[in-house]
Amino acid sequence: MRIFSSLLIATLLSVPAARADDERPSALVVRTMGSDTFVAGEAPRVAQAVKGDLVATGGDLRIAAPVAGDIIAAGGAVSLEAPAGQDLYAAGCRMSLAGDIARNARVAGCSVSLGPQARIGGNASFAAGRVEVLGSVGGYLQAASGNVLIDGAVAGDVDVAAGALELGPRARIGGKLRYRGSEPLRQDPAAQVQGGIERLEMPPRRDKERGRAAGRVALGVWTLGLMLLAAVLVVAFPGISARVTGEARTRFGWSLLAGFLALVAIPAAAVVLFATVIGIPLALLALIDYFALLLVGYVAAGAALGDAVLKRWVAGRAAQRGWRALFAALGVLAIGLVALVPWLGALVAFLALIAGMGAMVLMLKPRAGAA
């Protein structure tokens, strides 16, 4: 993957400022930087070939033209209908992969489907509520899901953690199948597993319950800490917090794009800096700032949610600092509760995180016409 630090800055500077009072859906926006392409919109469609990498986000994203480099995509629904020349990194709710991927695929969503005509040349890692592998994988396959269907060819090993696993009649696994799940494997008589099948034991129930109890306590303490942080930031820095929440509410799509780019660019830049002796201090500083940005970005998303609810239902109190702090804490709590929903909750929390990060990044760029 190329270094994205300079691409992130150039892309944000080229983004046209959105008006806060413009309630129309954002149109398709395409920006290029060298051979790389950045796409954002409500329902973007990539219809022209991309010579380099593609970074795209949108509510209903369709990639219908070949991409020579890597693809980084996020959206409510992502459809890959054309070949990818390198790797695919994608997250969204409905993930449909019908085009060939030359190297590896790392995909997370509510549902992930690899079409029957699609081929992944390297390895595949899928995490979703439901995973369907109907095409072929040239390397290994990893899947974590509620339900997994394999009805295609996998050249290497297969590792699955799922509630239910089914091997269809066209399943051809060249390596070993390792399976951990609550239900017995359902295997069609025509399915073939050359390396054998190993059923892994589930953790003991008592240990599992203890782990869950400890996890709930830790999660509760962590959430309370984030709620307190949100309230403190709103009280201590009312102007900055208002600007960040405003960016997240009025330019949500751009916040997602900027946050996703920051999520990728900062660690990549740190790796490059670590390779040089003189750059190690800068790399350490970048990583510290990165983790701080992750934390504050999540809190900013909760504050933006609370601010939106406050202005809608208690508009008369929206300017009072105490009420803003209270609703910021409640917004963080709401995101934390939604995050507990299996599969979908993790996606919502991830989108909230990158939206909050992106809003902070966008705040650094003055809007058009600003002094």
Side-chain angles (χ1 to χ4, degrees), residues 61-330:
L61 172 63
R62 293 178 57 198
I63 303 173
V67 177
D70 297 327
I71 297 177
I72 301 176
V78 178
S79 299
L80 177 65
E81 303 170 1
Q86 298 292 330
D87 297 321
L88 169 68
Y89 304 90
C93 192
R94 298 185 307 277
M95 311 297 297
S96 175
L97 311 179
D100 292 345
I101 300 167
R103 296 178 58 183
N104 305 316
R106 315 297 184 191
V107 182
C110 304
S111 65
V112 176
S113 177
L114 180 67
Q117 305 302 321
R119 170 178 170 75
I120 298 175
N123 306 315
S125 299
F126 298 146
R130 177 171 176 78
V131 171
E132 292 182 345
V133 180
L134 309 180
S136 61
V137 178
Y140 65 72
L141 169 66
Q142 298 172 327
S145 175
N147 295 277
V148 176
L149 168 64
I150 300 176
D151 198 18
V154 180
D157 294 337
V158 174
D159 290 279
V160 175
L165 170 62
E166 178 182 358
L167 300 182
R170 292 180 294 275
R172 301 291 185 269
I173 299 176
K176 188 172 186 177
L177 170 62
R178 302 179 185 88
Y179 167 56
R180 177 183 285 111
S182 56
E183 297 183 10
L185 170 67
R186 291 180 293 172
Q187 180 177 356
D188 189 276
Q192 300 177 13
V193 182
Q194 295 183 8
I197 300 175
E198 180 182 359
R199 175 74 182 274
L200 303 177
E201 294 294 331
M202 297 291 290
R205 183 174 182 84
R206 180 174 298 179
D207 293 344
K208 190 174 181 179
E209 290 177 351
R210 289 177 180 174
R212 286 179 176 177
R216 286 194 292 266
V217 172
L219 180 61
V221 173
W222 176 254
T223 302
L224 288 175
L226 293 179
M227 292 171 62
L228 179 61
L229 177 60
V232 169
L233 290 178
V234 169
V235 172
F237 307 100
I240 294 177
S241 63
R243 290 176 59 191
V244 173
T245 56
E247 293 288 352
R249 288 187 297 103
T250 60
R251 295 202 283 177
F252 182 73
W254 286 118
S255 296
L256 283 178
L257 177 60
F260 195 75
L261 288 171
L263 194 69
V264 175
I266 297 176
V271 170
V272 173
L273 290 173
F274 267 119
T276 64
V277 176
I278 193 173
I280 291 178
L282 292 176
L284 293 174
L285 181 61
L287 289 178
I288 293 173
D289 291 341
Y290 178 69
F291 289 115
L293 184 62
L294 289 174
L295 178 63
V296 180
Y298 183 87
V299 170
L305 175 61
D307 188 61
V309 174
L310 176 61
K311 289 185 176 180
R312 181 173 180 83
W313 298 106
V314 199
R317 308 285 187 177
Q320 298 182 15
R321 195 177 302 183
W323 280 85
R324 289 185 56 215
L326 172 62
F327 273 78
L330 293 177

